[in-house]
Amino acid sequence: MKDNFIGILVFLGVATGLLLTWQFNTEVPIEGNFPSDEVEAREELLKKFLDEQSYLQSRIVSLRKQIEDSQAAFEEQTELVNLGLLENLKTGVGLTEVIGEGIEIVLNDSPLALKENFSNDENYRIQASDLRDIVNILNAASAEAISINNQRIIATSPISSVGTTILVNNAHIAAPFSVSAVGDTNLMLERLLNQSLLPVIYTKRRDAAVVFDIFKKARINVPIYNGDLKVNYINLVE
Amino acid sequence: MRHIYILISASLIGFFLIIQMRSFEDVNDLLLRDQESNIFQEIRILTEKNEDLNAEVISLEDTYAHITDQNDILDSVEDEIEKYQKLNGEKSIFGPGITVKLEGDITTPWITDLINDFFNSGAQAVAINGIRITNRTVGFDTLPQGQILLNGSILSAPYFFDVIGESQVLSDILQLKGGIFDRLQNNFPNLKIEITRKEVIQMT
């Protein structure tokens, strides 16, 4: 009887400690219907930045084309302009469109990620690190050109995350993700189907129903790089 | 009296259990390959990105506006050739930056993560153990014994990363709390990381 009483006391004590600590550590969400509500404000701010980003990227592509056309017009009149070399260099750094046979990879968050219990669980979402791993595999398989959601990937392209948002070339992209690659299809496929090279993605696909599908395509278009190219700290050795 | 002590002790146990469970969440963040961050960082990144894009637009508009005769065309072509030669890795380059030395075991995914963070922090050129990262050399392979292969060369520890860019900014960002160096250290406790700022770094 006495032991039972002590047991009950211990249980009550632990339960009280748990409840008290949980209560004091829980933040009560503040609800509000005004436009200044945090989620709406974030969405509006992000939309403004993304619209501006979209415009600037289009403007960059358009200006590069105009400059290229002007240079080509003068090439017809003179042999002094070394446009052949320029064209090769631009291809080398990702400033020309690449078309050819290749692979398309489709990735998407697990349907379970929509549920409240799993919404913040990184195992149910495609992470920036998953995209980096795939890009690395494709590069190691000598892919000629790669893009993610029509963002051309070059050597200096950062693929990162901010919270649950993924940024490629610091441009906001959202699931589903489409990774396109032009190159030796068989070599790229061989690497992508090797589960030991992509253990995390294959585990997520098996255990969390994350979408990871690979398609061979006869024609893939990888667009030109539409970001900035900074070289102000770099000097050529003469 | 004894019963009161039991009650108090049991309450304290419950209290400490919750504290410990909450601390696991913080540890988990440092084991992830991607950094957890917030709306303010997201806005900062987008603001900086848009400023960079704007600067590129202004530069291109200036180039286009000055293409009025043959000499301007020749100058613009030569400027572009020089710019892309700095990027494509065919010519040797130099500039200020930092050197990062990693001594110890590390896996290929974390090497790619580190290089990604260099470029994300504003690096303009990166080399690892003397091999420059360009569009032609950028894929890392992991061999069956765990060695890291890049451009046909096996990379061995210690790993030396040369990074050209604004050295103070690079150094500050990489060493931020919760940043890539913190996450590397948490995932590879025996890894030694040294960072040195340099006035001149050369890459072939």
Side-chain angles (χ1 to χ4, degrees), chain A residues 110-141:
Chain A
S110 166
L112 293 172
L114 295 170
K115 292 192 177 180
E116 203 178 309
N117 290 348
F118 305 111
S119 58
N120 289 324
D121 190 335
E122 69 275 0
N123 293 317
Y124 289 81
R125 291 188 177 276
I126 296 296
Q127 303 292 309
S129 53
D130 299 324
L131 295 175
R132 289 196 296 270
D133 289 344
I134 288 176
V135 166
N136 180 61
I137 296 285
L138 292 169
N139 276 319

Side-chain angles (χ1 to χ4, degrees), chain A residues 2 5-6 9-18 21-22 25-26 38 42 45-46 48-50 52-53 56-57 59-60 63-64 66-67 70-71 74 77-78 80-83 85-86 89-95 122 127-130 132-133 136-137 139-140 143 153-163 165 167 169-172 191 197 200 225-237, chain B residues 2-4 6-7 10-19 21-22 32-39 41-43 45-47 49-54 56-58 60-61 63-64 67-70 73-74 76-77 80-88 90-96 108-109 112-113 115-117 119-120 123-125 132-136 138-142 164-167 183 202-203:
Chain A
K2 197 176 173 187
F5 181 62
I6 290 172
L9 267 182
V10 169
F11 173 76
L12 279 174
V14 172
T16 307
L18 286 171
T21 316
W22 229 310
N25 276 346
T26 300
E38 189 181 314
R42 175 184 178 270
L45 201 50
L46 278 180
K48 182 178 157 242
F49 279 116
L50 294 176
E52 191 187 351
Q53 202 175 80
L56 289 168
Q57 285 171 337
R59 188 88 183 106
I60 284 173
L63 281 166
R64 283 181 178 150
Q66 285 174 316
I67 291 169
S70 296
Q71 289 166 346
F74 274 91
Q77 299 164 27
T78 176
L80 296 174
V81 180
N82 198 350
L83 287 184
L85 172 60
L86 180 58
L89 286 168
K90 284 165 82 170
T91 300
V93 300
L95 291 178
E122 69 275 0
Q127 303 292 309
S129 53
D130 299 324
R132 289 196 296 270
D133 289 344
N136 180 61
I137 296 285
N139 276 319
I153 302 297
I154 61 174
T156 57
S157 291
I159 301 171
S160 56
S161 62
V162 182
T165 305
L167 302 172
N169 296 330
N170 286 328
H172 195 282
R191 300 287 180 101
L197 295 180
V200 174
Y225 174 73
N226 62 3
D228 57 313
L229 292 167
K230 286 184 174 173
V231 294
N232 51 313
Y233 284 97
I234 301 177
N235 306 280
L236 288 174
V237 173
Chain B
R2 190 162 145 247
H3 296 147
I4 293 172
I6 291 171
L7 193 62
S11 299
L12 282 173
I13 289 170
F15 173 76
F16 287 126
L17 268 173
I18 293 294
I19 298 290
M21 277 165 57
R22 294 279 167 119
L32 295 175
R33 286 175 59 198
D34 291 306
Q35 186 174 8
E36 294 294 301
S37 47
N38 56 33
I39 176 66
Q41 181 153 357
E42 193 172 357
I43 289 171
I45 290 171
L46 287 172
T47 306
K49 170 64 174 176
N50 284 6
E51 282 170 3
D52 289 344
L53 289 176
N54 212 27
E56 184 82 1
V57 165
I58 291 170
L60 289 170
E61 280 173 344
T63 302
Y64 185 61
I67 298 178
T68 54
D69 65 22
Q70 188 174 314
I73 289 283
L74 289 177
S76 82
V77 168
E80 277 195 80
I81 286 175
E82 185 182 327
K83 180 175 182 177
Y84 302 140
Q85 280 175 335
K86 290 178 180 178
L87 289 168
N88 83 338
E90 285 176 8
K91 292 205 164 194
S92 296
I93 58 171
F94 69 94
T108 305
T112 58
D113 288 354
I115 291 174
N116 180 75
D117 264 56
F119 287 122
N120 207 22
Q124 296 182 0
R132 177 142 175 225
I133 303 297
T134 66
N135 285 346
R136 290 175 296 118
V138 70
F140 289 85
D141 267 312
T142 306
I164 292 179
E166 195 178 336
S167 52
R183 284 178 278 131
Q202 184 158 334
M203 293 181 193

Side-chain angles (χ1 to χ4, degrees), chain B residues 60-179:
Chain B
L60 289 170
E61 280 173 344
D62 188 57
T63 302
Y64 185 61
H66 284 95
I67 298 178
T68 54
D69 65 22
Q70 188 174 314
N71 287 330
D72 287 340
I73 289 283
L74 289 177
D75 287 344
S76 82
V77 168
E78 301 218 353
D79 286 345
E80 277 195 80
I81 286 175
E82 185 182 327
K83 180 175 182 177
Y84 302 140
Q85 280 175 335
K86 290 178 180 178
L87 289 168
N88 83 338
E90 285 176 8
K91 292 205 164 194
S92 296
I93 58 171
F94 69 94
I98 59 171
T99 297
V100 175
K101 179 182 169 188
L102 298 186
E103 211 160 344
D105 288 332
I106 187 170
T107 56
T108 305
W110 283 95
I111 296 258
T112 58
D113 288 354
L114 180 58
I115 291 174
N116 180 75
D117 264 56
F118 287 147
F119 287 122
N120 207 22
S121 307
Q124 296 182 0
V126 174
I128 172 172
N129 287 16
I131 302 173
R132 177 142 175 225
I133 303 297
T134 66
N135 285 346
R136 290 175 296 118
T137 64
V138 70
F140 289 85
D141 267 312
T142 306
L143 298 178
Q145 304 291 330
Q147 303 105 313
I148 301 171
L149 186 77
L150 176 68
N151 202 33
S153 300
I154 293 179
L155 304 179
S156 310
Y159 303 101
F160 289 92
F161 296 85
D162 292 320
V163 185
I164 292 179
E166 195 178 336
S167 52
Q168 182 68 61
V169 169
L170 286 166
S171 181
D172 289 347
I173 293 176
L174 294 167
Q175 296 183 92
L176 277 175
K177 190 172 182 319

